[in-house]
Amino acid sequence: AQTVTQSQPEMSVQEAETVTLSCTYDTSESDYYLFWYKQPPSRQMILVIRQEAYKQQNATENRFSVNFQKAAKSFSLKISDSQLGDAAMYFCAYRSAAGGSEKLVFGKGTKLTVNP
Amino acid sequence: NAGVTQTPKFRVLKTGQSMTLLCAQDMNHEYMYWYRQDPGMGLRLIHYSVGEGTTAKGEVPDGYNVSRLKKQNFLLGLESAAPSQTSVYFCATSRGQGQYFGPGTRLTVT
């Protein structure tokens, strides 16, 4: 079974600075998808960024980018120019490309605090 | 479009009571999921469905049942609630691009 590990329970960053959240995963599959979700205090789960394992190019969405290292099974999220609204729980998730169910396996999350 | 909605948003149950959580979606997605979120545990999959009339067990299915009689609805039932089922429950749907979540239901079992 696949597992996802987020080794940083909490992180903090100063407003306007850059922060990187870590995620590692364990799988024997070669084709899969990886995601980062944001959960602000409102509790709503918001999809931040998505990466297909077969793509070597790292995904980018505005101030959010990933560093996908397939051989190392690492998938970190970089937030540039941090804003107060970035304060949230961040979850890394894995999805197999096989099987057709599109189930997600989540890490336990990293709580990000943004200091003004 | 409402997206994914969940009913109710909050509920308090006594041990042994039953209840049903309703998830509704208007995105015409085939796949639907129920997760629970507990502090320090992330989200764990309870049950899921890959289409109308189908259901399957996830990682933590014990104590829960589900039904998907209509494509747009996915129901999660607790037949005899226990304090260990105190949690926040999320419904999600997907169709290839990542999952879309409802706002969650906070359930407390006393």
Side-chain angles (χ1 to χ4, degrees), chain A residues 30-82:
Chain A
S30 60
D31 197 12
Y32 49 86
Y33 302 87
L34 295 164
F35 304 86
W36 278 98
Y37 280 86
K38 170 185 178 181
Q39 186 180 43
S42 67
R43 201 170 68 194
Q44 181 67 50
M45 293 287 288
I46 302 165
L47 177 61
V48 174
I49 202 163
R50 174 179 184 264
Q51 175 79 43
E52 293 91 341
Y54 63 85
K55 289 186 177 179
Q56 293 187 341
Q57 186 173 3
N58 289 325
T60 299
E61 288 289 343
N62 300 314
R63 298 182 293 106
F64 297 87
S65 61
V66 298
N67 183 5
F68 173 50
Q69 301 289 329
K70 191 172 184 179
K73 297 179 182 176
S74 172
F75 183 61
S76 60
L77 175 70
K78 186 172 81 171
I79 306 174
S80 303
D81 186 25
S82 297

Side-chain angles (χ1 to χ4, degrees), chain A residues 33 35 37 39 42-47 50 52 89 91 95 100-109, chain B residues 9 31 33 35 37 40-43 45 48 50 88 90 94-99 101-104 106:
Chain A
Y33 302 87
F35 304 86
Y37 280 86
Q39 186 180 43
S42 67
R43 201 170 68 194
Q44 181 67 50
M45 293 287 288
I46 302 165
L47 177 61
R50 174 179 184 264
E52 293 91 341
M89 285 290 294
F91 293 96
R95 190 196 109 192
S101 71
E102 302 187 6
K103 295 182 291 182
L104 292 178
V105 176
F106 284 89
K108 294 184 178 181
Chain B
K9 289 186 170 51
Y31 303 152
Y33 313 84
Y35 294 91
Q37 183 180 21
M41 296 297 294
L43 278 76
L45 183 63
Y48 64 98
V50 299
V88 178
F90 286 97
S94 71
R95 193 178 180 186
Q97 297 298 315
Q99 292 188 9
F101 286 79
R106 180 175 292 280

Side-chain angles (χ1 to χ4, degrees), chain B residues 4 6 8 22-23 25 28-29 35-38 47 49 52-54 67-69 81 85-86 90-91 94 97 108:
Chain B
V4 183
Q6 292 183 229
L22 170 64
C23 176
Q25 55 115 346
N28 201 34
H29 286 173
Y35 294 91
R36 61 177 289 172
Q37 183 180 21
D38 303 294
H47 286 281
S49 168
E52 182 178 322
T54 74
S67 64
R68 182 102 182 265
L69 299 180
Q85 294 178 305
T86 293
F90 286 97
C91 175
S94 71
Q97 297 298 315
T108 301

Side-chain angles (χ1 to χ4, degrees), chain A residues 5-27:
Chain A
T5 302
Q6 294 179 248
S7 59
Q8 308 151 316
E10 297 187 19
M11 292 279 287
S12 63
V13 63
Q14 291 296 125
E15 195 175 4
E17 294 188 348
T18 296
V19 65
T20 299
L21 308 184
S22 300
C23 173
T24 58
Y25 57 95
D26 186 27
T27 184

